[in-house]
């Protein structure tokens, strides 16, 4: 990534950088969900609702992102990231917009709109270049809220061989027309999804070959469907707690990525994933398995087995291809049914 | 036979040359800090922002195609080009840091280090001049 020096004004040094992915995919075979009139579909990711059908399609996962960052000196900077997605008719939207203040070498305070850091890959979900798969495993990244607006305190320090990065955050997200809930779960009804009183923390410990990340977050959920407030057991809100852990092992040529999480809302919703990869010069073949399991009879339950290849054919661009086999075990809460899908694409950073 | 000998010498010369390819990490001549390999790694991975003396660091890198860049990333940071760029993409696009500023050749690097007391950079060792101070070689 070259941080291009766009202009050096009297007040700020402005840096422009970005990332892009052009991906295509299709369902090779699938059952769909006959009881909900869903045709054979591969739901490649939940938050953005990237859905492939039986014809080749470039729109669901292609995106273009630009980050502009102004360094105002004395530790203050302002950053915005605008992302245009094929899945949203390429309408550019601000995904990140925040001001940062570096108090000292260890502490930074940030305020504004940021990604909700639930999972290991949440923060850089859009930057395909930075990970091995076509996309972070869909069964893990199932939650409908992707961003929050609020405050974040970031701490980082190296202690002996270990690097410690931790953050504490608080904020709120009010999504007036949530795509995942509205389009996929409530049959086209306009769904307003509110996550408020969000309080969360993340700690990441890493050394050369090992990395562990732990996260916890609490929030209060409110929801309106077609303008009508949703009640849960006679109450107009419900409280949730999210816990997660990720452990990555980098053994030179081999690497292993794992992550698990639980959302304790009305029921427990559990996710797990494991990936094995091998680096062979510019080629990185991998296999992956992920699953989602709602702890209730007849609850939502699905898993994905994937095999793929990443090829670093250029210093700033990679080619990826991936085959996914999805098993959707639920009936009442079926999402997109069983499917087998192929996808490929190019990711760049600049 | 003669041709064979020439080819042999030519290939030995090429091999020898690549064996001795080396990068030098350079700082401003006025810099009195002790800068070891561990600190260099921390600086280029965005984990150390000040020298031991407390002076702010300006981190400079050569671009991907410049002579010495791959060697530096591999030997000093233990990262391939793709690992290095993934690492910085991850940090830069998630508000955790700003990657080293890129310069396109050794001349620019020497001049930038010469004119900034807090600068650190690297060049192919053959390009080092008396204007800067070498603190490590890889």
């Amino acid at each position: 990534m070259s941080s291009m020096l766009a202009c050096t004004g009297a007040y700020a040094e402005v840096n422009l950088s970005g990332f892009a992915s052009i991906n295509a995919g299709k369902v090779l075979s699938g059952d769909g969900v006959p009881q909900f009139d869903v045709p054979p579909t591969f739901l490649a990711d939940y938050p953005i609702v990237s859905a492939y059908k039986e014809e080749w399609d470039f729109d669901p996962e292609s995106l273009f992102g630009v980050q502009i960052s102004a360094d105002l000196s004395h530790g203050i900077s302002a950053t915005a990231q605008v992302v245009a997605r094929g899945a949203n008719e390429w309408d550019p939207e601000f995904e990140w917009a925040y001001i940062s203040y570096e108090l000292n070498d260890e502490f930074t305070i940030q305020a504004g709109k940021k990604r909700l850091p639930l999972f290991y890959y949440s923060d850089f979900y859009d930057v395909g270049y930075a990970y091995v798969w076509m996309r972070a495993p869909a069964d893990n990244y199932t939650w409908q809220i992707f961003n929050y607006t609020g405050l974040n305190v970031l701490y980082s320090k190296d202690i002996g061989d270990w690097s410690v990065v931790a953050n504490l955050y608080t904020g709120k997200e009010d999504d007036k027309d949530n795509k995942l809930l509205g389009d996929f779960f409530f049959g086209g009804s306009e769904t307003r999804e509110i996550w408020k009183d969000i309080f969360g923390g993340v700690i990441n410990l890493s050394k050369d070959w090992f990395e562990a990340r732990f996260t916890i977050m609490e929030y209060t959920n409110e929801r309106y469907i077609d303008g009508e407030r949703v009640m849960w057991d006679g109450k107009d809100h419900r409280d949730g707690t999210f816990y997660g852990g990720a452990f990555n092992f980098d053994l030179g040529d081999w690497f292993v990525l794992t992550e698990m999480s639980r959302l304790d809302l009305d029921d427990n919703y559990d996710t797990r994933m494991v990936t094995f990869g091998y680096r062979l010069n510019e080629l990185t073949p991998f296999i992956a398995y992920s699953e989602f399991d709602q702890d209730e009879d007849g609850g939502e339950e699905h898993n994905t087995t994937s095999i793929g290849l990443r090829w670093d054919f250029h210093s700033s661009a990679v080619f990826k291809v991936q085959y996914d086999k999805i098993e959707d075990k639920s009936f009442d809460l079926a999402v997109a049914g069983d499917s087998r899908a192929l996808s490929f694409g190019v990711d760049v950073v600049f | 036979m003669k041709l064979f000998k020439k080819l042999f010498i030519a290939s030995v010369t090429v091999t020898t040359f690549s064996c001795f390819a080396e990068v030098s990490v350079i700082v401003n001549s006025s810099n009195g800090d002790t800068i070891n390999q561990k600190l260099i790694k921390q600086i280029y991975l965005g984990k150390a922002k000040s020298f031991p003396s407390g002076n702010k660091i300006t981190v400079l890198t050569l671009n991907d195609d410049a002579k010495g860049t791959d060697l530096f990333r591999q030997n000093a940071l233990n990262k391939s080009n793709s690992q290095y760029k993934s690492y910085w993409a991850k940090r830069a696009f998630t508000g955790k840091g700003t990657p080293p500023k890129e310069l396109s050749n050794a001349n620019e690097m020497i001049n930038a280090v010469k004119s900034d007391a807090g600068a650190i950079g690297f060049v192919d060792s053959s390009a080092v001049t008396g204007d800067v101070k070498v603190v490590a070689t890889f």
Side-chain angles (χ1 to χ4, degrees):
Chain A
M1 168 191 4
S2 68
S3 30
M4 187 174 91
L5 220 57
C7 78
T8 312
Y11 302 104
E13 191 176 293
V14 177
N15 280 288
L16 191 66
S17 53
F19 49 87
S21 298
I22 302 299
N23 295 338
K26 71 175 280 194
V27 173
L28 299 174
S29 68
D31 298 341
V33 189
Q35 63 271 33
F36 301 140
D37 286 331
V38 176
T41 302
F42 168 46
L43 187 60
D45 78 62
Y46 285 72
I48 296 151
V49 195
S50 303
Y52 290 103
K53 302 281 166 53
E54 286 177 295
E55 281 179 16
W56 286 106
D57 195 348
F58 280 83
D59 274 334
E61 291 185 287
S62 295
L63 59 85
F64 197 99
V66 172
Q67 174 160 304
I68 183 160
S69 179
D71 185 351
L72 308 172
S73 80
H74 303 294
I76 296 186
S77 63
T79 305
Q81 207 181 93
V82 177
V83 181
R85 302 174 193 282
N88 294 335
E89 284 86 42
W90 296 97
D91 284 344
E93 269 186 51
F94 279 90
E95 294 280 359
W96 300 69
Y98 60 92
I99 292 173
S100 245
Y101 177 51
E102 242 174 61
L103 278 177
N104 51 41
D105 277 2
E106 280 98 46
F107 285 98
T108 301
I109 297 177
Q110 299 170 321
K113 179 173 181 172
K114 299 196 77 200
R115 190 75 86 217
L116 191 63
L118 293 180
F119 298 95
Y120 182 94
Y121 299 89
S122 299
D123 277 355
F124 55 107
Y125 196 86
D126 290 331
V127 190
Y129 183 97
Y131 47 78
V132 67
W133 325 274
M134 286 292 296
R135 67 207 62 94
D139 301 291
N140 292 71
Y141 293 71
T142 32
W143 300 111
Q144 55 271 29
I145 291 297
F146 212 40
N147 292 317
Y148 73 100
T149 303
L151 273 179
N152 181 41
V153 179
L154 183 65
Y155 169 84
S156 67
K157 184 155 181 74
D158 271 30
I159 301 165
D161 289 340
W162 290 86
S163 289
V164 181
V165 179
N167 61 304
L168 286 173
Y169 60 95
T170 180
K172 178 182 176 177
E173 176 75 351
D174 184 343
D175 188 0
K176 302 285 190 305
D177 187 5
N178 189 268
K179 199 172 169 188
L180 178 66
L181 295 175
D183 290 5
F184 242 87
F185 284 92
F186 303 131
S189 313
E190 188 180 275
T191 304
R192 178 178 170 199
E193 178 76 353
I194 300 167
W195 287 23
K196 63 177 205 181
D197 299 329
I198 295 173
F199 290 98
V202 179
I203 183 160
N204 187 305
L205 307 164
S206 62
K207 57 189 289 180
D208 269 353
W209 61 275
F210 176 72
E211 179 176 28
R213 178 189 189 270
F214 302 96
T215 175
I216 182 165
M217 182 208 62
E218 290 185 334
Y219 71 109
T220 298
N221 180 203
E222 293 173 3
R223 183 178 292 166
Y224 296 81
I225 299 179
D226 285 332
E228 196 150 318
R229 191 151 186 170
V230 172
M231 305 294 278
W232 291 282
D233 295 331
K235 287 196 306 183
D236 59 7
H237 66 275
R238 54 181 180 169
D239 297 323
T241 308
F242 178 92
Y243 316 84
F247 304 92
N248 298 330
F249 307 84
D250 197 325
L251 311 165
D253 295 334
W254 283 96
F255 60 89
V256 183
L257 313 172
T258 69
E259 183 157 23
M260 63 198 89
S261 74
R262 163 168 287 185
L263 176 65
D264 179 356
L265 196 54
D266 305 327
D267 292 315
N268 285 330
Y269 302 84
D270 292 324
T271 76
R272 290 170 277 272
M273 78 90 172
V274 60
T275 299
F276 296 92
Y278 185 75
R279 295 189 194 98
L280 202 71
N281 300 319
E282 281 78 40
L283 297 178
T284 311
F286 63 88
I287 53 170
Y289 176 79
S290 60
E291 63 181 24
F292 178 101
D293 186 8
Q294 181 177 356
D295 182 18
E296 193 198 45
D297 279 347
E300 187 180 336
E301 194 180 347
H302 39 83
N303 66 67
T304 308
T305 309
S306 312
I307 180 163
L309 180 72
R310 171 187 166 120
W311 175 29
D312 285 271
F313 70 95
H314 180 278
S315 67
S316 300
V318 299
F319 172 84
K320 293 175 188 167
V321 57
Q322 184 169 328
Y323 171 82
D324 292 285
K325 179 174 169 288
I326 293 90
E327 211 182 358
D328 189 347
K329 293 180 173 172
S330 16
F331 185 85
D332 291 339
L333 292 168
V335 184
D338 290 358
S339 67
R340 277 169 282 275
L342 188 66
S343 48
F344 66 90
V346 170
D347 301 306
V348 301
V349 285
F350 55 91
Chain B
M1 199 60 202
K2 236 181 176 175
L3 178 68
F4 188 76
K5 201 173 169 188
K6 260 189 189 162
L7 276 175
F8 180 74
I9 290 172
S11 68
V12 166
T13 317
V14 169
T15 321
T16 315
F17 182 74
S18 64
C19 277
F20 283 103
E22 186 191 73
V23 283
S24 296
V25 176
I26 54 173
V27 296
N28 190 275
S29 313
S30 68
N31 192 322
D33 278 296
T34 308
I35 300 166
N36 60 20
Q37 298 199 356
K38 191 177 168 190
L39 181 59
I40 290 169
K41 191 169 174 179
Q42 288 178 337
I43 291 171
Y44 276 89
L45 297 181
K47 292 169 180 171
K49 291 164 188 158
S50 314
F51 288 117
S53 60
N55 291 334
K56 273 274 172 206
I57 307 176
T58 310
V59 195
L60 306 171
T61 182
L62 290 172
N63 66 19
D64 296 342
D65 303 324
K67 198 175 174 187
T69 304
D70 269 356
L71 191 68
F72 176 76
R73 288 175 185 169
Q74 199 62 63
N75 293 355
L77 311 179
N78 195 24
K79 287 193 188 301
S80 67
N81 171 69
S82 136
Q83 287 172 314
Y84 175 84
K85 295 191 79 130
S86 293
Y87 176 88
W88 272 113
K90 206 164 125 172
R91 287 176 79 90
F93 295 126
T94 63
K96 294 201 173 76
T98 309
K101 189 179 289 180
E102 274 191 19
L103 302 175
S104 54
N105 60 52
N107 262 346
E108 278 183 32
M109 182 63 84
I110 302 268
N111 286 334
V113 171
K114 196 171 88 179
S115 59
D116 180 348
I120 184 166
F122 63 85
V123 288
D124 185 85
S125 291
S126 64
V128 172
T129 69
D131 291 330
V132 293
K133 184 168 153 187
V134 174
V135 289
T137 56
F138 292 95

